[in-house]
Amino acid sequence: MQPEPLSRRRRLWVVDDDPELRSMLATYLTDQGFAVRTLADGEQLQVRLEGRLGGERPDLLVLDLMLPGTDGLSLLRRLRDAGDDLPVLLLSARAEGVDRIIGLEQGADDYLAKPFLPRELLARVEAVLRRRRPLPPGSPRPQSEPVAFGDCRLDPASRRLERAGAVVAITAGEYSLLEVFVAHPHRPLSRQRLIELARGPDSDTDGRSMDVQVSRLRRLIEPDCGRPRYLQTVWGYGYVFVPDGQPRGG
């Protein structure tokens, strides 16, 4: 199969200080049809993102956690604090669960521990891009009309979240999860079911990671995250979306 023309290829930027890994990923991902740019550190990334060297932004950023100078977590935090919803897949040589949790808390769309197989990275990249990709014109949508709850408004047609009339920066992972909740109002969903619906049946996301994602989503839509009205906890089970914000009985 011939790769897509360069102008139509999805753009990936890989930021890692390991030259061998950068070279290997550039070759492999280019062979899979992506337009790949590799960068060695956060300074190079900032220059590119700010457009000082021209060129288009990536469709997804593969970002190593342990970089010289400004680390990957700080770079991710800068993006999210600036309201940038660029999809980010974090890489880390440290396999501790706390790194994964912190990365997700800061707004990463996914996390992959080193060492990994290139095919595994490709699967993660495709999954994140699939969550972001708009449906083709005329495709059926599970929920096509805007949904309003509290001072929030979710528009599936434009994949946009507004709060009090202002557009809210929301990552692909956060949007995918909110879309699942909105499509199942008043229906308690277990953590595992949320993972299957929002991330896919083959995802290795665990229950703790899903808790983190729900916590991030609450920050975007809840008046008081300590007493959530719309994304309520079903103790010992999971969560439920309550559009009217009324307490659940029982």
Side-chain angles (χ1 to χ4, degrees):
M1 182 177 66
Q2 293 296 320
E4 297 181 62
L6 186 59
S7 60
R8 295 176 53 203
R9 291 185 183 182
R10 291 164 293 174
R11 296 179 296 276
L12 298 183
W13 291 4
V14 177
V15 187
D16 197 291
D17 62 337
D18 183 340
E20 292 186 6
L21 181 63
R22 291 199 307 271
S23 177
M24 182 269 289
L25 291 181
T27 299
Y28 178 78
L29 293 170
T30 298
D31 288 344
Q32 301 305 313
F34 291 94
V36 182
R37 181 184 301 279
T38 62
L39 305 169
D41 55 40
E43 183 177 353
Q44 292 183 13
L45 174 63
Q46 290 294 114
V47 169
R48 287 287 178 181
L49 286 177
E50 291 168 5
R52 283 181 261 166
L53 298 181
E56 296 181 287
R57 282 165 52 89
D59 296 299
L60 184 142
L61 182 64
V62 178
L63 180 62
D64 187 37
L65 198 64
M66 303 298 291
L67 290 171
T70 307
D71 62 74
L73 200 60
S74 297
L75 292 166
L76 174 62
R77 188 180 299 114
R78 287 182 188 176
L79 284 173
R80 298 304 184 236
D81 288 347
D84 195 323
D85 66 347
L86 173 66
V88 175
L89 192 161
L90 282 181
L91 302 178
S92 177
R94 302 186 309 195
E96 289 90 345
V98 66
D99 286 334
R100 178 189 183 106
I101 297 303
I102 292 174
L104 293 173
E105 286 178 338
Q106 295 301 323
D109 291 272
D110 205 346
Y111 179 101
L112 184 60
K114 297 178 180 178
F116 55 83
L117 296 175
R119 187 171 179 178
E120 183 180 8
L121 175 65
L122 175 64
R124 300 294 187 91
V125 166
E126 292 283 10
V128 172
L129 290 175
R130 191 163 51 245
R131 297 198 294 265
R132 173 62 63 93
R133 187 181 303 143
L135 294 175
S139 297
R141 295 178 181 273
Q143 174 67 57
S144 58
E145 296 299 320
V147 176
F149 52 98
D151 60 354
C152 296
R153 182 178 185 271
L154 183 71
D155 186 352
S158 62
R159 297 179 65 86
R160 185 166 69 177
L161 173 65
E162 297 179 0
R163 184 171 182 180
V167 176
V168 177
I170 184 169
T171 68
E174 291 162 353
Y175 180 87
S176 177
L177 182 57
L178 181 56
E179 193 172 45
V180 168
F181 277 120
V182 167
H184 301 81
H186 301 289
R187 186 184 306 177
L189 298 170
S190 69
R191 291 172 177 80
Q192 186 57 44
R193 185 59 176 154
L194 285 169
I195 292 168
E196 293 172 357
L197 292 172
R199 303 291 180 261
D202 298 325
S203 171
D204 66 350
T205 300
D206 57 23
R208 174 61 180 133
S209 297
M210 180 52 63
D211 289 339
V212 171
Q213 302 260 332
V214 171
S215 177
R216 283 190 55 81
L217 203 50
R218 282 173 168 166
R219 295 180 207 168
L220 300 182
I221 67 173
E222 295 285 357
D224 180 359
C225 294
R227 303 183 61 165
R229 297 173 55 188
Y230 306 113
L231 297 185
Q232 298 182 22
T233 300
V234 181
W235 297 107
Y237 186 71
Y239 302 93
V240 60
F241 173 59
V242 184
D244 58 14
Q246 295 300 311
R248 296 179 66 247

